[in-house]
Amino acid sequence: MAGEEAVSNKQVILSDYVTGFPKESDMKIITGSINLKVPEGSKDTLLLKNLYLSCDPYMRGRMSKLDKPSFVASFNPGEPLSGYGVSKVLDSTHPNYKKDDLVWGLTSWEEYSLIQSPQLLIKILDTNVPLSYYTGILGMPGLTAYGGLYELSSPKKGEYVYVSAASGAVGQLVGQFAKLVGCHVVGSAGSKEKVDLLKNKFGFDDAFNYKEEPDLDAALKRCFPEGIDIYFENVGGKMLDAVLLNMRIRGRIAVCGMISQYNLEKPEGVHNLMQVVGKRIRMEGFLAGDFYHQYPKFLELVMPAIKEGKLVYVEDIAEGLEKAPSALVGIFTGQNVGKQLVVVARE
Ligand SMILES: NC(=O)c1ccc[n+]([C@@H]2O[C@H](COP(=O)([O-])OP(=O)(O)OC[C@H]3O[C@@H](n4cnc5c(N)ncnc54)[C@H](OP(=O)(O)O)[C@@H]3O)[C@@H](O)[C@H]2O)c1
């Protein structure tokens, strides 16, 4: 009978802990097998078919053997990576999920996953948008942009907003959310193609290629002659130092991430932190998870805006689980244009 025989299950496993920049060879594709039924007697368990997997920068931290306190745990070498994805329920002993439900949230990097006591899965109720959007604009990166900008930074019409890594999964939304409230928005990204996207597709007022402007302070002074009210921090390092020199009094810095630091064995220092005092800058870190309780409110804003074309979203889609290692590694060199995801299966 269908579901009672084992089928093959391709997986992306971590070969060993990573130091420095991750490489494709830090991951391996192996083929195991799995029965497409929840084992008898397993309570609150789901058997998922994974459709889309999300490549997220925080996964880099999990590839290291972590020796400092962290909000995530290390992956285990020899086991599949875990991450956000969109999946279909094939079998369930959980009262809240049934066969053929679609969900987004934490799953494993493999074709099929057995998930016990799912806590980080959200049921997908609206399928009149691309399902892959639940790895991005309608998933964790979307909530990150929403929470970090609207909840933490309280943008007001006419304020000056700067976003780094601006063409990525989170950044492209931060800029568009800030435009929705009438801010003046500038972004930076690492190529001409990305800068064009920021200005011509996402409606940023201005943008620059940080790789061609080694004097970041000068680039920011040109784009923000009156200074920055809100900095949405995705990059850290030299960029943060230059931004601190250009913040206005009572500016806000929403610290979302610092991708320029993730592959360094010794993080760079921040030299201009004293600016925080004189300018009375509020700098606050946050996690997407802080805003999960606001997901329904978030959907009420974002879903109609997508359908009315007021928000656009660019994805970079890698086809097939075999492409997952190169797609993940690529986000640390800026290979992705837009939200990087991997298609495992389309239905
Ligand atoms: N706090 C949270 O809960 C949370 C949630 C999601 C994401 N984040 C953080 O948000 C940031 C953006 O994440 P995302 O998912 O939107 O990723 P993404 O922007 O889609 O991809 C990463 C991008 O970062 C840029 N980058 C890579 N190395 C860089 C470097 N050394 N210096 C400057 N830019 C670099 C690249 O674009 P360029 O071509 O422009 O260099 C790359 O495309 C990351 O810091 C991430 O950790 C935080």
Side-chain angles (χ1 to χ4, degrees):
M1 210 167 97
E4 288 183 356
E5 276 171 30
V7 298
S8 69
N9 189 22
K10 236 179 280 165
Q11 303 178 308
V12 180
I13 62 163
L14 183 69
S15 306
D16 202 352
Y17 292 121
V18 176
T19 50
F21 271 81
K23 307 176 294 302
E24 277 185 63
S25 58
D26 293 324
M27 290 159 270
K28 234 183 348 213
I29 312 277
I30 62 164
T31 304
S33 71
I34 189 167
N35 195 311
L36 296 186
K37 275 216 131 353
V38 172
E40 204 139 312
S42 306
K43 274 182 64 186
D44 294 341
T45 303
L46 302 179
L47 194 285
L48 299 180
K49 178 177 186 184
N50 296 315
L51 305 178
Y52 299 96
L53 296 176
S54 174
C55 296
D56 291 300
Y58 82 94
M59 295 173 76
R60 171 63 190 87
R62 304 195 66 186
M63 296 170 100
S64 295
K65 194 175 171 85
L66 293 164
D67 56 0
K68 293 197 191 92
S70 172
F71 65 99
V72 285
S74 297
F75 294 133
N76 292 320
E79 291 183 7
L81 277 64
S82 82
Y84 287 88
V86 172
S87 313
K88 183 156 96 174
V89 177
L90 295 188
D91 192 22
S92 165
T93 56
H94 193 293
N96 298 347
Y97 304 91
K98 59 178 189 327
K99 186 173 169 359
D100 293 333
D101 278 349
L102 291 163
V103 292
W104 74 265
L106 278 185
T107 185
S108 292
W109 276 35
E110 55 191 352
E111 290 174 286
Y112 303 99
S113 300
L114 193 64
I115 307 280
Q116 269 154 352
S117 307
Q119 274 157 4
L120 276 173
L121 284 181
I122 295 182
K123 227 189 269 190
I124 294 174
L125 300 176
D126 190 334
T127 54
N128 291 319
V129 282
L131 260 188
S132 55
Y133 277 15
Y134 289 91
T135 65
I137 183 169
L138 294 171
M140 185 277 281
L143 264 181
T144 302
Y146 172 88
L149 185 74
Y150 287 146
E151 298 293 323
L152 249 67
S153 313
S154 311
K156 289 178 235 17
K157 189 170 180 207
E159 284 193 316
Y160 296 100
V161 175
Y162 174 51
V163 192
S164 54
S167 69
V170 175
Q172 58 175 299
L173 290 173
V174 173
Q176 292 183 76
F177 286 155
K179 285 307 302 174
L180 288 180
V181 287
C183 296
H184 180 89
V185 182
V186 178
S188 59
S191 71
K192 181 181 181 308
E193 179 190 7
K194 293 182 182 186
V195 166
D196 288 346
L197 263 184
L198 295 176
K199 292 203 271 197
N200 303 324
K201 179 134 188 131
F202 302 133
F204 284 50
D205 296 287
D206 204 352
F208 67 92
N209 178 351
Y210 71 94
K211 289 184 180 164
E212 286 185 346
E213 303 231 22
D215 188 345
L216 295 172
D217 180 36
L220 291 171
K221 287 205 158 57
R222 184 183 71 244
C223 294
F224 295 100
E226 301 192 44
I228 300 167
D229 292 297
I230 296 173
Y231 173 44
F232 196 98
E233 162 70 305
N234 286 324
V235 161
K238 293 180 181 62
M239 184 64 85
L240 175 57
D241 258 330
V243 167
L244 284 165
L245 296 175
N246 287 280
M247 290 298 292
R248 300 179 94 183
I249 288 177
R250 304 237 176 256
R252 288 85 79 199
I253 302 182
V255 187
C256 176
M258 297 193 175
I259 195 166
S260 72
Q261 306 297 296
Y262 298 172
N263 301 308
L264 305 181
E265 284 178 44
K266 193 162 176 278
E268 290 173 284
V270 182
H271 304 280
N272 296 325
L273 209 48
M274 189 58 196
Q275 296 286 317
V276 169
V277 179
K279 292 176 177 169
R280 285 83 99 200
I281 293 166
R282 184 162 56 76
M283 197 169 167
E284 188 172 349
F286 67 98
L287 292 174
D290 300 342
F291 306 106
Y292 266 64
H293 63 288
Q294 299 199 25
Y295 190 62
K297 183 174 148 197
F298 161 80
L299 281 186
E300 273 173 34
L301 171 89
V302 174
M303 199 59 100
I306 294 173
K307 291 179 180 167
E308 289 161 21
K310 291 183 182 149
L311 281 177
V312 292
Y313 203 57
V314 170
E315 300 178 310
D316 194 330
I317 302 180
E319 291 286 336
L321 196 65
E322 294 80 0
K323 295 275 169 55
S326 64
L328 178 58
V329 166
I331 63 179
F332 298 101
T333 53
Q335 180 188 285
N336 60 310
V337 179
K339 166 67 199 163
Q340 183 68 61
L341 62 112
V342 179
V343 184
V344 185
R346 289 190 190 273
E347 55 183 355

